[in-house]
Amino acid sequence: VRPGGVIAFITSKGTMDKESTAVRKYIAQRAELLGAIRLPNNAFKANAGTEVTSDIIFLQKRDRIMDIT
């Protein structure tokens, strides 16, 4: 994705809820969070036969990596 481009992805709630901040810091250095939607744990039950709480994350890629402490 080029700078300014928008990215949307689905991930388990663990990505944003982990105790470790490493993944969130990595993402924040490279993209601005535009928004997130938490899906219920049965959102994929009919298609995938699984129950897991998931998030849809919307990001906009930064022009450069930011130094976040």
Side-chain angles (χ1 to χ4, degrees):
V1 173
R2 63 180 94 169
V6 175
I7 304 161
F9 66 97
I10 299 173
T11 185
S12 69
K13 73 174 188 162
T15 302
M16 300 306 279
D17 290 354
K18 283 184 196 249
E19 189 173 327
S20 170
T21 62
V23 171
R24 291 187 303 275
K25 182 177 178 180
Y26 180 88
I27 292 171
Q29 288 174 322
R30 291 160 176 78
E32 180 178 347
L33 177 66
L34 298 177
I37 299 169
R38 176 135 304 164
L39 300 175
N41 69 342
N42 61 357
F44 298 105
K45 187 170 184 176
N47 292 355
T50 186
E51 290 187 24
V52 61
T53 304
S54 303
D55 295 327
I56 304 174
I57 310 294
F58 298 90
L59 305 170
Q60 186 168 29
K61 187 174 179 182
R62 298 187 188 280
D63 293 334
R64 57 183 166 38
I65 296 175
M66 292 184 61
D67 182 28
I68 296 175
T69 56

